[in-house]
Amino acid sequence: TLPVSITQSSNALGSIPAGFTREQSFSTIPMTRAPARVKYRQACMPRLPNPPYSALIPLLMGGIHGRESSAGKGLFLVTSEFLDNADIMKKIQLIPGVYRKNVIVQGFGNLGMHACRYFTRAGARVIGIVEKDCSLVNPEGIDPKALEDWVIETGSVRGFPGAQETDKELLFEPCDLLVPCAVEKVINCDNVNKIQAKIVVEGANCTMTPLAYEMLLKRNILVIPDLLVNSGSVCSSYFEWLKNMKHVSFGRLTFKYMRESNEHLLNSVQTSIESLFNTDCHITPSDEFTARMSGASEKDFVNSGLSYTVEGTVNSVLETVKKEGLGLDVRQACYSLAMAKIVKTYATAGYTFT
């Protein structure tokens, strides 16, 4: 333990336990006096008025904009990074890019619904949705917003006019992307040979058994693992935690300054043009520029941070796949990368492994 002298005021620290002076080093407290050490630490730690230990809390209570859709957005971003990788797509004989890819999603809850919306916006077609009471299919693509409105109104996907109900097991129908977002171990050794998708995206946790995963790899089917796909919601929870640690929303301190700065910039350009050409000139900002004049909103911060984090993580995983010659074994690459970071961190901190 590094010796640290405590010199802050008593108001910041609270009362110091009996038997300790304010300048006493924490490292000098005997190890045998564990209760005293704990009490000393508690007395000297700064106190937060509202310790932010919760996630996915309401906006009114410190939640963050974009958190609700972050799981689906993270799923989409991770998947699109793989789809844009020409080397991976060549291995599974699929054309790179999200556009015109056929997608089947199991589960139309928060994760499945937002994933469908992002895939549709990018030009993919959600041709099938599997729910507990009904399965829907539409080769031309299901409109996720219309289906969301239908579910809110009726409480079920059954009877949705924008698709046909079917008795087929859509999990085993041909498609480019199969995205199970509902049930654990839905893919197992009993049905894994029925999978006809080119890519399986593990939206839910533990959607397949280890044996099923190995069998899919042998069939040259890419599996994007849950520990990578589900990172979106974790990142947004971290951003939410940062917001609550600072007790102020992202951008709140700069909105007015950024808007006034951009207005001054436009006025300066207008004055320069009028002076140069000796004529009246009125510069009107475009709708896109007007929307950005006040700087990034909280949702912009979340989406930007999420996209940047996912892009960097997936690139690191793909580099590990290539470096270690893992083929399509992305899960092993994730484990290898994580363990390498842990070992490097411990070694940097001075710990040794025996």
Side-chain angles (χ1 to χ4, degrees):
T1 304
L2 294 176
V4 179
S5 295
I6 307 301
T7 58
Q8 291 96 326
S9 66
S10 58
N11 290 335
L13 297 174
S15 59
I16 299 300
F20 299 104
T21 62
R22 192 173 305 283
E23 288 73 27
Q24 186 174 15
S25 170
F26 178 70
S27 62
T28 63
I29 304 173
M31 290 297 295
T32 55
R33 300 179 62 183
R37 290 171 63 88
V38 173
K39 188 175 181 181
Y40 188 90
R41 182 184 290 111
Q42 292 174 344
C44 295
M45 284 181 62
R47 298 191 178 104
L48 294 175
N50 295 303
Y53 300 135
S54 300
L56 196 57
I57 55 181
L59 289 174
L60 187 63
M61 300 176 65
I64 194 167
H65 289 272
R67 173 64 180 84
E68 184 178 358
S69 62
S70 62
K73 185 176 182 65
L75 183 152
F76 166 75
L77 291 173
V78 170
T79 305
S80 62
E81 287 292 326
F82 278 91
L83 288 172
D84 290 338
N85 187 280
D87 293 335
I88 295 293
M89 292 301 100
K90 184 177 180 180
K91 292 178 181 178
I92 61 175
Q93 299 180 353
L94 197 63
I95 298 175
V98 179
Y99 185 70
R100 304 296 288 179
K101 294 295 186 294
N102 293 326
V103 184
I104 294 178
V105 178
Q106 182 199 39
F108 197 70
N110 180 69
L111 173 60
M113 176 191 67
H114 284 104
C116 289
R117 294 177 71 170
Y118 285 112
F119 276 120
T120 301
R121 291 174 189 173
R125 294 179 297 189
V126 181
I127 62 173
I129 291 178
V130 181
E131 261 294 327
K132 58 183 179 181
D133 57 346
C134 175
S135 294
L136 301 177
V137 62
N138 184 347
E140 300 302 318
I142 299 172
D143 183 350
K145 184 63 175 68
L147 181 57
E148 178 190 2
D149 295 338
W150 179 266
V151 171
I152 293 174
E153 179 181 351
T154 66
S156 172
V157 300
R158 187 179 294 277
F160 176 61
Q164 296 78 43
E165 297 183 17
T166 180
D167 294 330
K168 293 182 179 179
E169 294 185 282
L170 295 183
L171 287 178
F172 311 129
E173 290 296 306
C175 62
D176 298 315
L177 298 172
L178 175 62
V179 189
C181 297
V183 184
E184 292 183 359
K185 300 179 182 179
V186 66
I187 301 175
N188 49 63
C189 58
D190 295 328
N191 60 23
V192 65
N193 289 325
K194 299 179 183 179
I195 299 295
Q196 300 186 60
K198 297 282 188 178
I199 303 174
V200 178
V201 183
E202 287 193 292
N205 292 323
C206 307
T207 59
M208 64 182 65
T209 62
L211 179 58
Y213 176 74
E214 296 295 334
M215 295 174 70
L216 289 175
L217 288 182
K218 291 179 180 179
R219 293 177 53 198
N220 206 48
I221 295 176
L222 173 64
V223 178
I224 308 179
D226 49 3
L227 73 162
L228 185 59
V229 172
N230 292 331
S231 59
S233 58
V234 181
C235 288
S236 294
S237 293
Y238 173 65
F239 300 150
E240 186 176 87
W241 179 74
L242 290 178
K243 172 186 175 180
N244 282 275
M245 287 290 290
K246 297 189 298 183
H247 296 280
V248 63
S249 59
F250 292 108
R252 185 182 183 90
L253 303 180
T254 59
F255 283 148
K256 184 174 177 59
Y257 177 83
M258 288 294 296
R259 186 168 191 86
E260 291 178 349
S261 297
N262 283 311
E263 288 174 349
H264 284 304
L265 175 62
L266 293 176
N267 291 334
S268 176
V269 173
Q270 179 176 316
T271 302
S272 298
I273 293 176
E274 290 176 344
S275 175
L276 180 63
F277 295 100
N278 195 25
T279 183
D280 292 336
C281 174
H282 180 67
I283 295 180
T284 303
S286 64
D287 293 338
E288 293 79 7
F289 187 78
T290 301
R292 294 173 177 265
M293 281 185 64
S294 297
S297 66
E298 186 172 84
K299 192 170 184 177
D300 292 332
F301 274 107
V302 171
N303 289 334
S304 176
L306 179 59
S307 299
Y308 178 81
T309 304
V310 167
E311 180 181 348
T313 302
V314 174
N315 287 338
S316 296
V317 170
L318 291 175
E319 288 177 6
T320 303
V321 169
K322 186 175 181 179
K323 178 181 177 180
E324 300 185 6
L326 296 174
L328 296 177
D329 196 350
V330 179
R331 192 187 305 276
Q332 181 65 34
C334 291
Y335 288 145
S336 178
L337 180 62
M339 292 304 298
K341 287 185 176 181
I342 292 173
V343 171
K344 185 176 180 179
T345 301
Y346 270 66
T348 304
Y351 293 97
T352 58
F353 294 88
T354 57

